[in-house]
Amino acid sequence: MNLLKTSLKDLKKAINEASVQACVVGLGYVGLPLSVILGENGFMVTAVDKNQEVIKRCQKGSAHFYEKGLDEKLLKLLQRGMINFSTDVSVGTRHTAVIFVTIGVPLAPDGAIDTTALKEVSTAIGKELTEGKLVIVKSTLPVGGTRRIVKPILEDVSRLAAEQDFGLAFVPERTVEGRAMEELVSLPKIVAGVGKRSKRAAQMIYRFIGGPLVPVSCLEVAEAAKLFDNVYRDVNIALANELAIACERMGVDAIEAIQAANYEYPRTNILTPGVGVGGSCLTKDSYILTQAYTGKDKRHSLILRARQLNDTMPQHFMSLIKDAFFEMNFRACLKLQNVS
């Protein structure tokens, strides 16, 4: 099926006949739930991951992480023959019409963005690209990453042109761990393509997944919006943490002050301070975004200052525990002395 030329009506008919092949590359907290949701909605799914242990577990109907309802749905799809698993990207993408890239793009030890796996996967996909196929990138990338990294590799390896011969879109992952099964079908989907045909094809595919569609003008807008999601939370968490530190020094109960400020007041929604920021995305997306525009001068970046404050919170929290422990022991000793 040529997804750049087909109509929504013909795509719906093919999905109802279970004749549309989809491939998901990367079976983490997004990729595996997405594979299951695609299978539930009529796609014939090939799910790919380089980790053999992950594949073995999935083939038995058991996910390698907890997601409510995931194992049960996975097992049903296996029994119906709607999903299969592989460690080979080329094999997985060979006969598929749409390919989802959901691999992680981590930071290297030196803080730079590590695109090694992304380049390897793009090369493997490029070897099997044919006219009419659609590649949808869901991995979190630096702004310009799809156009600058993925597109040239796909075109060079396949000898085809994006938008003219095959589709290339960016539809970022926005779910949280533990709620992916519900959020993948309900959250708004930001959709961008390398051109109008690619964006249209991606929008058609997502009509069968669920959730409102938010089409944007270009790949870079979608990539930035994804990073904004996590940077927004990171900065707001840092604000709450700095307010808590300020309250410590002023002798004020931070939680009580925050609750009072938030109470039925429509313009204030201060978060609860805590040990820091959890999850793999929140701790790296601020760095991914700021690397694109700060250069060597990072002193004036509010985003980076917020990220660095959140990085220090576990150590600060441990200091508070130690102080509380020593104060408790000191009071206990005083009490013993008074008794004796």
Side-chain angles (χ1 to χ4, degrees), residues 260-303:
N262 287 343
Y263 185 73
E264 293 189 5
Y265 188 65
R267 289 180 289 279
T268 303
N269 184 26
I270 302 169
L271 302 179
T272 302
V275 179
V277 176
S280 59
C281 290
L282 280 178
T283 55
K284 69 180 178 67
D285 285 3
S286 293
Y287 292 121
I288 291 177
L289 177 64
T290 54
Q291 282 182 26
Y293 67 87
T294 57
K296 294 182 179 179
D297 186 10
K298 298 178 172 59
R299 295 170 298 170
H300 305 299
S301 170
L302 169 66
I303 294 170

Side-chain angles (χ1 to χ4, degrees), residues 11-320:
L11 177 60
K12 182 177 181 179
K13 182 176 183 291
I15 290 174
N16 288 338
E17 294 171 350
S19 62
V20 180
Q21 302 275 344
C23 177
V24 178
V25 183
L27 300 183
Y29 291 98
V30 176
L32 185 55
L34 175 61
S35 300
V36 170
I37 287 168
L38 287 167
E40 286 187 318
N41 284 280
F43 291 84
M44 295 293 294
V45 182
T46 300
V48 179
D49 197 281
K50 65 180 181 180
N51 189 319
Q52 292 184 353
E53 292 304 314
V54 167
I55 295 299
K56 288 178 182 177
R57 288 194 61 167
C58 290
Q59 287 172 334
K60 296 176 182 177
S62 175
H64 53 290
F65 55 86
Y66 177 75
E67 190 75 51
K68 185 178 179 182
L70 179 57
D71 284 1
E72 295 86 347
K73 293 181 177 185
L74 174 57
L75 190 58
K76 288 180 181 179
L77 289 176
L78 285 166
Q79 292 169 345
R80 291 169 52 200
M82 296 293 292
I83 190 169
N84 63 84
F85 296 91
S86 175
T87 57
D88 190 326
V89 175
S90 294
V91 170
T93 58
R94 186 163 297 157
H95 303 294
T96 54
V98 56
I99 303 153
F100 296 85
V101 178
T102 64
I103 62 169
V105 180
L107 295 180
D110 63 357
I113 302 161
D114 186 355
T115 58
T116 304
L118 178 68
K119 292 176 180 178
E120 290 175 352
V121 166
S122 298
T123 299
I125 292 172
K127 292 177 181 178
E128 302 300 333
L129 266 188
T130 53
E131 288 193 17
K133 287 189 177 185
L134 171 66
V135 179
I136 298 177
V137 180
K138 293 187 67 63
S139 304
T140 301
L141 300 180
V143 175
T146 307
R147 196 183 305 275
R148 189 177 66 251
I149 302 170
V150 179
K151 178 177 175 286
I153 294 174
L154 294 178
E155 290 182 326
D156 289 346
V157 175
S158 69
R159 302 297 181 187
L160 299 173
E163 186 66 7
Q164 178 181 324
D165 301 315
F166 68 90
L168 177 60
F170 183 79
V171 184
E173 163 273 316
R174 307 179 79 188
T175 62
V176 297
E177 296 173 14
R179 296 179 60 183
M181 294 300 291
E182 58 179 284
E183 291 190 343
L184 277 169
V185 299
S186 62
L187 287 180
K189 312 297 188 298
I190 300 170
V191 183
V194 72
K196 292 181 179 179
R197 299 171 78 204
S198 296
K199 181 165 71 173
R200 172 186 169 275
Q203 287 178 278
M204 283 199 305
I205 292 294
Y206 271 91
R207 289 185 185 278
F208 298 94
I209 295 175
L213 299 181
V214 186
V216 295
S217 61
C218 64
L219 297 167
E220 289 75 16
V221 168
E223 291 164 342
K226 160 56 185 174
L227 293 171
F228 288 178
D229 281 342
N230 285 338
V231 168
Y232 173 82
R233 289 195 289 276
D234 200 16
V235 171
N236 277 278
I237 291 168
L239 172 62
N241 285 334
E242 181 155 345
L243 292 176
I245 292 170
C247 285
E248 288 172 23
R249 296 172 182 173
M250 295 184 297
V252 173
D253 185 327
I255 300 300
E256 183 180 3
I258 289 171
Q259 289 175 343
N262 287 343
Y263 185 73
E264 293 189 5
Y265 188 65
R267 289 180 289 279
T268 303
N269 184 26
I270 302 169
L271 302 179
T272 302
V275 179
V277 176
S280 59
C281 290
L282 280 178
T283 55
K284 69 180 178 67
D285 285 3
S286 293
Y287 292 121
I288 291 177
L289 177 64
T290 54
Q291 282 182 26
Y293 67 87
T294 57
K296 294 182 179 179
D297 186 10
K298 298 178 172 59
R299 295 170 298 170
H300 305 299
S301 170
L302 169 66
I303 294 170
L304 280 181
R305 290 170 65 189
R307 175 88 295 277
Q308 289 158 2
L309 172 62
N310 285 335
D311 276 341
T312 67
M313 287 309 294
Q315 183 179 355
H316 181 71
F317 185 71
M318 289 304 299
S319 296
L320 293 178

